[in-house]
Structures are given as C-alpha cells and as structure tokens.
Amino acid sequence: MCRLGSPGCRTRAGEGPGGAEPSRNSAAPPPPRLPSACPQLPASGCARGPRGPVSEPLPADSLPGSPQRAPSASALHAAGAEPPILWGLASVFSSRTSRKSASRAGNDSAMAEGEGYRNPTEVQMSQLVLPCHTNQRGELSVGQLLKWIDTTACLSAERHAGCPCVTASMDDIYFEHTISVGQVVNIKAKVNRAFNSSMEVGIQVTSEDLCSEKQWNVCKALATFVAHREITKVKLKQITPRTEEEKMEHSVAAERRRMRLVYADTIKDLLANCAIQDDLENRDCNHMVPAEKTRVESVELVLPPHANHQGNTFGGQIMAWMENVATIAASRLCCAHPTLKAIEMFHFRGPSQVGDRLVLKAIVNNAFKHSMEVGVCVEAYRQQAETHRRHINSAFMTFVVLDADDQPQLLPWIRPQPGDGERRYREASARKKIRLDRKYIVSCKQTEVPLSVPWDPSNQVYLSYNNVSSLRMLVAKDNWVLSSEINQVRLYTLEDDKFLSFHMEMVVHVDAAQAFLLLSDLRRRPEWDKHYRSVELVQQVDEDDAIYHVTSPALGGHTKPQDFVILASRRKPCDNGDPYVIALRSVTLPTHQETPEYRRGETLCSGFCFWREGDQLTKVSYYNQATPGVLNYVTTNVAGLSSEFYTTFKACEQFLLDNRNDLAPSLQTL
C-alpha cells in the first residue's frame, strides 16, 4: 500500500497519472533466478529484489503513504497541473541536503578506511581456458565450469566452517554467455549465511578477454554446503554481514532456503491442482521422436582422482558427468550439437566414495518449440552383485540448438512412453510453467507493466518469496536518514534511484510474537487505520500467505474510492536476531477484476518488521517504497512528520496494547 494507513499507491491506466496500461508480455518467464530468482530462484537478488521493493496499497494520505506513479511533465501540463510539484519535492528534501552530505562524507571516509575490506569467507579462482577444457565448438565445457564452481564454493564454505564440507545442492543456474579458448574464467564465492550445520554460498562467474580487456557476466549460482565432522556434531558460527550487499544476501538467504525445502511439493501441487496445457494429441505423429531413442545410460568408476580431500566423490565431477550424458541425450533428439542454457537444481541425496560405480541415466522428458528438458539421475552401487542402487543425485537441464546467427532452431516433438514417460512429460511442462512465471515476476519493470502480477498456484511460491525478499532487501539498506521524530516515533527516508522509501519506527510494550499475530491479519486493520475502510479475506493460500481485497475511502480530490488486491506473506524468525516479517504486495486475481465503482490501486513493496528488544518490548517498523513526486501529502509528511503519519502509527500502538492479552492459544503455535 502506499501509506502505513492508506492503500493508495498507484492508480491504473486511465484513472490517474499512470498513463496507458502496458500489456503483459506473452512470452512470460523463469527464476530468478530461484531467483532470480534472485532468482535464479531466486538468484542472488538485486538491490530492489526481483521486481524491486513496493508500496503497500493504502489511500493517498495515510501513514507511510506511497504516492502514485509520477506523471510526465507533458501529462501534467495536459491535465492542468503545474510541474513545480516535482520541484516542490526537491525543495522539501533540500533542507536535508547538508545532513545527507555529511552522512555521505562520513560513509566515504569509512569506505576509504575500509578499502581493503574483504569478506573473510571470500575465495577467488581464475582459470585460463585451454583446448582440453572445451567442447566440439571450441567453447568451455559446462561440465568443466561446474567443477571449478564447485571447488571454489567448497573452499569458501570450508573457510567459514573450519572443517570439511560437502555439496548438498546447487540452485538453478542460467548461462548468459559462452566462454572461448584463450579467455579467462573468474569465479568468486562467499558464504551468504550460515544456519545450524548448513550454509548458503553465493557464486559469481565472469569471463574476460585478455586481448580486448572486455568482460562478461557468465552466470550466478547459489550452492548449499553441509559441514561434516566424523566425531562431533557441527554447529556453525553465524555470519556477520558488513556491507549493504552482504546484509541483503544474508537477509534473503533464509527465504531462499525455505523455497528449496518446498520445491518438490510445489511441483506435486501444481500437477494435482492445475491443468497443464498438453498438446500431445494435436501434434503431428509423423514428426515425433520416440523418447526412448534419446535414452542414455553410462557407468563411471570412481577413482582417487575423482575424489575430494575427504575421500568422497567430488560433487563437481558428478555434475560434469551428468552434463555429459544429458548433452548426448539432447543430441539424439535434435541430431545436432545442443547448447546448455539452464540447469534446474542439482540435489545431492547422499555421498559416494572411491570404488563406487555410478550409473548415470538421461532422457529427454519433453521438447518445446525451441528448447528441450533432459532429466538426469545418478545411482551408486559398490559391488557388481549388489541389487540395490542408491539414488544420489538428480537434475533437469534445458538445451537449445543455435543456428549460425545464434538464434534457437525449431525442435522435433517428443513422444513419451506410457506410464513414467508421460509423468515425466507432464512434470517437464509444469517446470517450464514455473520458470516462465518466475521469469515474468523477475523481469517486470515498474515503468513498463502493472505492478500487480497475476497469481495462480504455479507461481504462488515464488510470488511469496519475492514479496518477502523485496521487503527484507529494503530493510537491509544502510543509508536511511532520520528525517523527523515526535514522542519517540521516528520517520526515516531513503532516496534511491527513482524511489523514495520511508520507514516508521517505534518501541511498544508488547511481545514481538503478539504484535506479529495482531497485525498479520489484515481484517483487523480497519480497527486502527482509517484508510482501510473494509478488508475481505479472498483466499487463505497456506499458513503463511493470504490474499485480501481492501477498499479505501476517496482521497486527493477523487470522487471514487480505491480498492486493492493484496498478497500478505508472514514469516517467523529463522534465527535469533531475525525479525518477524509481514510483507504486502499487489496481485491480480480473475475473480476480483477492476469495477466501475472503484479506482484500482497497486502496491509493490511494504510491510512490518518486529524485533524483540527485551521482555515484553518490541521495536515495530513499517516500511514502504514509493515513486516520489506526485502527491502533496508525501512531501508534507516527510518534511515534518505530520499528524496524519503520527496519528495512524500511534493508533497502531494503542491497538497492540489493547489486544495483547487476546492471543494465548495462537501464541503457542509460534
């Protein structure tokens, strides 16, 4: 929403300054990166999150209000408005110029003193690509790259753990650039966050041409490593992030971990509850390749050179073998040399040692118009006579075939075998849908598309992740400026790129868990926030996520009230010192389309964080990110902490105090 109090953040096209509403890109998308997404799955994350932080939907003059999107100067003239409203925003902040300059000067001096700072877990590797590292096209083999990535990440994990570590998983990887003979690969890895015995390691891969001095981003990756000692149980020490980037990665790592744990269930739920489009019956059977034709099975004997320093099979070596058999399977479908574009999570289910035989199996699960998915699994056995094989790894790889102009070529259809083949075929379609949904969420730009993203079961996990991670990254920014303070209620602001963000903060005599429960149910918000006229629970998605329809009174000279469709995601602390989180963002539902009686508002990132300050003492913070420059109430509130902001936030405090004793049964579940 916009303000702590009002759902008005932005009005849809034709209703206000937003202009014509752009159409959604039909070629929607994958993750972020888990993420990224982020996203990749989320991938490692960007400064504003996969879609950037947001402004909660609240009417145009409520507590942390987030303004509607700023109109262009020509639009202002056409509407009869005077452009100086934008100048007014600048003048409002000019009173803080000296304060900000002093702050920046202090930061600059601190940076000068810390120019030599380097993350203590950081490990860097540089490798010159030789002919022995390449494939038939003279490009660096992805298998070789995976070996180097895994080695670098493992060294970083062991530097933090102080003991041997093993690879547990490698998140989705998207390859942006190929690497040729003679170029240099630079790999940098550092631990983002440590949990009990596992840790997330972030990896950045770039390449450079030594002759032209050009550099390219190749990929980002996120790996999970587990510390392993033979005798004693490992309890890892916590990471203390120092830079803004480290704080963001540390904050979002817990949310990425949550996504990994529910990924398998997400696929099952999608297959069980959603109709995955399957045009098998409409395809020309004369141009279909039987899936069995693409099947590959290969056996590798694990020798001492394939083992790591602990005697276990090197994870990077296993991934390289998997990439090899997957490439063969893909080649059998297209009768050409395919290019690996993405890998969807290596998951190590168990170890193998020197002397094991590894059986690697690959088959094309499904072929789409320009890409194909190859499934790979690895089984291990010790002796030839053994009948039981251990499933130790699996992954899904996406290949394309490029022409001379590096454009993807059309691929033949695949005909799956009945039974398991049809199951794999449907699962591949489900994974593609999830990738496209995640890519759409990540690639949306605020200036080009509506802030709201269509919600459905296929993207609910990633939308929830994006919702929480965007807020966490906004919280982690370290250049907030204290603008005003009244009776221990503080207002902080942050001018970043095109966004104006603000954050209200106070300490209340209520337990953090109580405050979290009271404010996470938006249906109770009208009890303290006059900018919420009504709140309807549309869908309880799961224990932590719910979708609400919010209405707000008419504000800012408009005759029509506003309404919002809001996804509210709540999270309990992952570790001591973490806050309780309530994140809010707009979504689109087919059952709640725009109606003539309301102006549809949207919000991209807002919400609450609750930190325990002591027994029955909680720091309550409300965050909101908005585009500056449109509504007068924003400049007024930011400049002087007007009664509108202050009154709403104090009403929130009184609501918490009045209701803190009504939650005994619910608190037992936290």
Side-chain angles (χ1 to χ4, degrees):
M1 308 206 156
C2 270
R3 287 129 303 173
L4 180 62
S6 93
C9 284
R10 166 188 165 228
T11 304
R12 282 195 186 273
E15 299 292 344
E21 177 178 348
S23 60
R24 169 176 174 177
N25 187 340
S26 58
R33 312 115 327 20
L34 259 132
S36 317
C38 24
Q40 338 24 307
L41 200 162
S44 54
C46 59
R48 293 193 300 276
R51 288 234 331 163
V54 195
S55 345
E56 168 191 354
L58 294 182
D61 36 10
S62 64
L63 195 37
S66 61
Q68 301 178 357
R69 184 172 295 168
S72 64
S74 58
L76 286 169
H77 282 297
E82 297 186 8
I85 188 172
L86 300 177
W87 310 335
L89 181 64
S91 64
V92 165
F93 293 115
S94 64
S95 62
R96 305 202 317 276
T97 301
S98 59
R99 208 171 3 175
K100 291 188 63 175
S101 299
S103 173
R104 286 171 180 163
N107 290 339
D108 290 342
S109 63
M111 288 297 292
E113 293 176 2
E115 282 180 353
Y117 169 73
R118 180 172 173 178
N119 188 299
T121 69
E122 183 179 301
V123 172
Q124 296 184 17
M125 174 188 288
S126 293
Q127 295 280 357
L128 180 64
V129 179
L130 302 175
C132 61
H133 301 141
T134 62
N135 57 23
Q136 71 284 345
R137 293 187 299 274
E139 299 167 351
L140 175 63
S141 162
V142 173
Q144 180 62 60
L145 179 59
L146 291 171
K147 288 184 184 180
W148 290 338
I149 288 175
D150 190 62
T151 300
T152 312
C154 183
L155 292 174
S156 175
E158 292 185 346
R159 175 172 286 184
H160 177 69
C163 66
C165 295
V166 295
T167 311
S169 67
M170 185 82 71
D171 284 5
D172 303 357
I173 305 175
Y174 294 86
F175 299 98
E176 304 173 20
H177 196 275
T178 57
I179 307 171
S180 303
V181 172
Q183 294 180 345
V184 172
V185 180
N186 297 308
I187 305 172
K188 182 187 296 185
K190 61 182 177 63
V191 177
N192 291 332
R193 182 162 184 167
F195 301 98
N196 289 328
S197 59
S198 67
M199 68 203 91
E200 179 189 279
V201 180
I203 306 115
Q204 172 74 55
V205 182
T206 60
S207 63
E208 63 174 310
D209 188 306
L210 297 177
C211 298
S212 65
E213 297 185 351
K214 290 183 179 179
Q215 295 192 8
W216 300 269
N217 290 324
V218 176
C219 66
K220 292 181 179 179
L222 293 165
T224 301
F225 282 81
V226 176
H228 178 71
R229 284 197 188 102
E230 293 292 340
I231 303 175
T232 60
K233 187 176 181 180
V234 176
K235 174 65 176 177
L236 294 172
K237 62 181 182 290
Q238 295 302 305
I239 292 287
T240 303
R242 288 183 54 183
T243 67
E244 182 176 290
E245 178 187 0
E246 289 175 3
K247 291 175 183 176
M248 290 180 180
E249 295 294 350
H250 182 273
S251 180
V252 179
E255 192 64 17
R256 287 193 288 252
R257 180 172 180 256
R258 185 178 186 271
M259 285 193 66
R260 295 181 193 110
L261 296 176
V262 302
Y263 180 78
D265 291 336
T266 302
I267 296 291
K268 292 178 183 177
D269 291 344
L270 182 59
L271 290 171
N273 302 319
C274 299
I276 303 299
Q277 292 186 349
D278 185 342
D279 55 356
L280 257 180
E281 297 179 357
N282 300 323
R283 294 182 177 180
D284 185 357
C285 294
N286 295 324
H287 295 86
M288 297 180 76
V289 176
E292 279 301 304
K293 181 181 177 182
T294 69
R295 185 180 294 277
V296 179
E297 183 171 315
S298 178
V299 178
E300 299 284 352
L301 174 62
V302 181
L303 300 173
H306 303 140
N308 59 22
H309 49 299
Q310 305 162 51
N312 294 322
T313 313
F314 175 41
Q317 179 63 68
I318 296 176
M319 290 189 280
W321 283 334
M322 294 173 72
E323 186 268 339
N324 181 58
V325 295
T327 302
I328 296 172
S331 300
R332 289 181 175 175
L333 174 71
C334 60
C335 299
H337 296 302
T339 298
L340 180 60
K341 297 299 289 184
I343 300 173
E344 189 157 328
M345 189 176 287
F346 289 103
H347 178 60
F348 290 86
R349 301 169 183 268
S352 65
Q353 293 80 32
V354 172
D356 280 349
R357 281 75 169 169
L358 302 187
V359 180
L360 298 104
K361 300 177 181 178
I363 190 171
V364 176
N365 291 330
N366 202 337
F368 308 102
K369 188 174 183 180
H370 292 114
S371 65
M372 68 186 99
E373 180 192 279
V374 179
V376 191
C377 75
V378 183
E379 298 173 342
Y381 64 93
R382 191 69 180 175
Q383 300 294 336
Q384 191 66 39
E386 285 186 22
T387 57
H388 176 70
R389 294 179 178 178
R390 310 185 312 275
H391 182 191
I392 65 169
N393 204 341
S394 58
F396 301 97
M397 305 187 186
T398 301
F399 289 85
V400 298
V401 177
L402 302 177
D403 59 20
D405 298 322
D406 284 338
Q407 297 301 309
Q409 297 181 345
L410 291 174
L411 296 174
W413 302 120
I414 198 80
R415 184 169 67 243
Q417 278 199 319
D420 281 347
E422 292 178 344
R423 173 186 59 78
R424 291 193 297 268
Y425 184 92
R426 291 194 303 273
E427 289 177 351
S429 296
R431 280 186 289 271
K432 182 185 178 185
K433 176 168 175 52
I434 290 177
R435 287 195 298 271
L436 294 178
D437 285 337
R438 289 185 299 200
K439 182 178 179 183
Y440 174 66
I441 294 168
V442 172
S443 64
C444 283
K445 296 180 180 178
Q446 186 175 359
T447 57
E448 297 176 1
V449 298
L451 302 182
S452 298
V453 173
W455 183 94
D456 66 49
S458 68
N459 68 9
Q460 73 176 60
V461 172
Y462 194 74
L463 260 179
S464 177
Y465 159 80
N466 175 266
N467 191 14
V468 176
S469 62
S470 294
L471 180 61
R472 285 182 176 274
M473 286 190 281
L474 182 61
V475 173
K477 288 184 175 292
D478 57 8
N479 49 342
W480 291 94
V481 176
L482 177 62
S483 294
S484 305
E485 180 175 0
I486 294 180
N487 294 337
Q488 298 180 338
V489 175
R490 296 181 177 90
L491 171 65
Y492 295 85
T493 58
L494 172 66
E495 295 174 69
D496 179 25
D497 194 18
K498 298 179 180 179
F499 293 95
L500 165 65
S501 303
F502 35 95
H503 144 216
M504 300 287 295
E505 180 180 286
M506 66 182 173
V507 176
V508 298
H509 291 275
V510 175
D511 183 73
Q514 292 175 320
F516 172 69
L517 285 176
L518 285 168
L519 295 182
S520 61
D521 186 353
L522 291 192
R523 289 174 295 184
R524 302 200 64 177
R525 187 140 173 182
E527 295 180 36
W528 59 271
D529 189 346
K530 69 178 183 180
H531 301 96
Y532 274 63
R533 189 169 70 180
S534 68
V535 180
E536 170 201 1
L537 176 62
V538 176
Q539 183 176 350
Q540 187 68 48
V541 179
D542 54 33
E543 180 184 358
D544 295 321
D545 295 88
I547 299 176
Y548 297 90
H549 181 237
V550 177
T551 63
S552 170
L555 295 167
H558 290 281
T559 57
K560 287 185 179 181
Q562 281 190 303
D563 71 336
F564 300 82
V565 179
I566 299 298
L567 171 65
S569 305
R570 67 177 197 171
R571 296 291 188 271
K572 291 172 280 190
C574 179
D575 288 322
N576 291 333
D578 283 355
Y580 290 88
V581 174
I582 301 171
L584 305 167
R585 65 156 300 149
S586 289
V587 294
T588 302
L589 284 179
T591 56
H592 287 70
Q593 300 289 346
E594 293 183 60
T595 56
E597 63 266 30
Y598 289 105
R599 293 182 301 116
R600 175 57 54 88
E602 293 181 303
T603 178
L604 190 57
C605 174
S606 62
F608 290 91
C609 289
F610 311 90
W611 284 271
R612 274 201 171 93
E613 295 286 290
D615 186 29
Q616 296 297 308
L617 206 61
T618 299
K619 182 172 73 175
V620 179
S621 293
Y622 175 84
Y623 292 85
N624 189 290
Q625 184 176 45
T627 308
V630 245
L631 301 179
N632 289 330
Y633 80 87
V634 176
T635 57
T636 302
N637 278 292
V638 168
L641 187 57
S642 78
S643 59
E644 188 74 34
F645 275 44
Y646 175 75
T647 302
T648 306
F649 212 44
K650 292 300 285 186
C652 176
E653 178 185 21
Q654 193 61 48
F655 169 77
L656 295 175
L657 292 172
D658 293 344
N659 294 275
R660 59 183 171 179
N661 297 321
D662 301 338
L663 298 170
S666 300
L667 288 171
Q668 311 227 342
T669 64
L670 289 180

